[in-house]
Amino acid sequence: MARFWVCVAGAGVFLAFLVLHSRFCGSPVLRNFTFAVSRRTEKSLYRLDVDWPKHPEYFTGTTFCVAVDSLNGLVYIGQRGDNIPKILVFTEDGYFLRAWNYTVDTPHGIFAASTLYEQSIWITDVGSGFFGHTVKKYSSFGDLVQVLGTPGKKGTGLNPLQFDNPAELYVEDTGDIYIVDGDGGLNNRLIKLSQDFMILWLHGENGTGPAKFNIPHSVTLDSAGRVWVADRGNKRIQVFDKDTGEWLGAWNNCFTEEGPSSVRFTPDGKYLIVAQLNLSRLSVVAAPPVGSIGECSVISTIQLADQVLPHLLEVDRKTGAVYVAEIGAKQVQKYVPLNSYVPAFGS
């Protein structure tokens, strides 16, 4: 199994070690050594948990997405491939628990909705088979509970609601759902649904102007009631009011090289963690104050080895740990916050 070891050292010097394990080489061999010097003096905010997971051999496909059930300490991973389990479940300590494959075709995004009253797993499926072009709700053991969209049939319709390559979703504790639909398909939409799946508002036009999208790839919320969308093709993050859908602003100054592929906030709300796929880079960005969007300001970066390709990430709302699904390395890695900068949830 390919394992990438990334360290942050000193005034913004990052060392990335690529170690290829016996599945490819017959024995562990140190294959590559790269380093990059950052453009500024940066704080070290995270360290790689090199012992997570305990058994990486369970990664048998291409790992596209990861979700965290913070309440129960579980990590869900979606992977693609033929004749393999599509969903893997680990503990937050890295122990493998179970796998399931029921009615999952080609997972793209995954989200764990976990409250005292309900624990569920939501998956966006971009497959071309019978289960594709849907957003599906499962129990934690893989029982199918709800299907949104027209299974196996892509489309642009709203009644009934249809999807084409839905990229990701975010579910509030209230049950309201935010979906970005359009990972290179017919649609370029941000849709808010109520807990009973009624459309509350949407933005759905392809373009470069405000509230228009080109491959909306990831969506998240902050504690101030703002919706943040990784508008990947337009190389920016757009921000909306969660209640009205009003466009509040955009960040594009941080993403001139490549657009963001994933966005998540730290539990304290101070930082936004952003992945850039083809740059193999994670950025820690300062969150703006309430009432202001301002400009993007990068506080720290983690430069991964070439071709690691971080696709989507998730942040544990309780511990602040960052889990990164890497489609190039075919693994998920865990980064642990240094407490002096990113306090745990509720502290």
Side-chain angles (χ1 to χ4, degrees):
M1 186 66 213
R3 291 284 291 167
F4 293 82
W5 181 14
V6 181
C7 304
V8 181
V13 180
F14 303 95
L15 303 181
F17 297 89
L18 169 57
V19 179
L20 298 183
H21 282 241
S22 56
R23 190 159 73 91
F24 295 119
C25 304
S27 62
V29 178
L30 183 61
R31 176 62 61 86
N32 194 23
F33 173 85
T34 64
F35 72 93
V37 179
S38 73
R39 292 167 293 181
R40 70 193 75 181
T41 300
E42 298 174 342
K43 299 176 181 179
S44 298
L45 300 182
Y46 292 90
R47 62 172 178 84
L48 178 65
D49 184 346
V50 297
D51 294 321
W52 200 98
K54 305 297 184 184
H55 299 285
E57 62 269 19
Y58 284 102
F59 297 143
T60 53
T62 304
T63 48
F64 267 75
C65 49
V66 58
V68 180
D69 175 354
S70 302
L71 193 63
N72 296 292
L74 300 177
V75 180
Y76 294 81
I77 295 166
Q79 61 176 2
R80 299 184 191 177
D82 296 329
N83 302 314
I84 63 169
K86 299 297 176 63
I87 306 300
L88 308 175
V89 187
F90 292 84
T91 68
E92 62 183 1
D93 296 326
Y95 293 99
F96 177 76
L97 288 182
R98 57 184 176 268
W100 41 273
N101 199 32
Y102 313 115
T103 68
V104 181
D105 188 344
T106 308
H108 187 280
I110 188 170
F111 188 87
S114 181
T115 69
L116 293 174
Y117 308 102
E118 180 185 23
Q119 288 81 49
S120 57
I121 306 302
W122 289 83
I123 295 172
T124 63
D125 197 323
V126 299
S128 57
F130 180 74
F131 303 112
H133 303 295
T134 56
V135 176
K136 292 173 287 192
K137 178 182 180 180
Y138 294 87
S139 73
S140 58
F141 286 89
D143 300 316
L144 182 62
V145 177
Q146 181 71 43
V147 179
L148 304 180
T150 51
K153 185 178 180 181
K154 63 184 177 182
T156 62
L158 298 177
N159 188 20
L161 183 60
Q162 293 180 299
F163 302 105
D164 184 10
N165 291 350
E168 199 194 42
L169 76 162
Y170 187 98
V171 183
E172 282 194 273
D173 289 345
T174 61
D176 289 347
I177 305 168
Y178 303 81
I179 302 170
V180 281
D181 175 29
D183 184 31
L186 297 170
N187 304 322
N188 283 275
R189 304 191 295 197
L190 166 64
I191 305 173
K192 179 179 181 179
L193 302 179
S194 65
Q195 57 184 319
D196 55 358
F197 314 122
M198 301 296 292
I199 296 176
L200 298 178
W201 54 258
L202 70 86
H203 295 288
E205 188 175 349
N206 177 261
T208 60
K212 298 180 180 181
F213 301 103
N214 179 12
I215 309 181
H217 198 263
S218 180
V219 59
T220 194
L221 267 69
D222 66 15
S223 59
R226 297 175 292 194
V227 184
W228 298 71
V229 177
D231 188 5
R232 181 177 165 190
N234 284 327
K235 297 183 178 181
R236 64 184 179 182
I237 294 175
Q238 296 199 67
V239 190
F240 302 85
D241 181 276
K242 77 167 189 175
D243 295 321
T244 65
E246 177 188 1
W247 184 81
L248 300 177
W251 281 352
N252 52 29
N253 57 299
C254 287
F255 311 111
T256 56
E257 294 178 90
E258 187 196 14
S261 63
S262 188
V263 287
R264 284 293 186 268
F265 280 93
T266 56
D268 58 12
K270 292 182 178 179
Y271 304 106
L272 185 67
I273 313 297
V274 180
Q276 289 171 283
L277 178 72
N278 293 306
L279 294 179
S280 291
R281 179 185 298 163
L282 306 178
S283 296
V284 182
V285 183
V290 176
S292 172
I293 299 301
E295 291 192 348
C296 175
S297 177
V298 176
I299 302 301
S300 180
T301 59
I302 300 175
Q303 183 61 57
L304 308 177
D306 288 344
Q307 301 305 311
V308 168
L309 306 181
H311 184 247
L312 290 171
L313 62 85
E314 187 57 277
V315 177
D316 189 321
R317 295 169 61 184
K318 185 176 181 180
T319 67
V322 178
Y323 296 83
V324 185
E326 302 167 349
I327 60 176
K330 297 184 178 181
Q331 64 183 5
V332 170
Q333 295 204 101
K334 177 182 180 180
Y335 294 86
V336 180
L338 303 179
N339 291 333
S340 58
Y341 292 118
V342 186
F345 179 74
S347 63

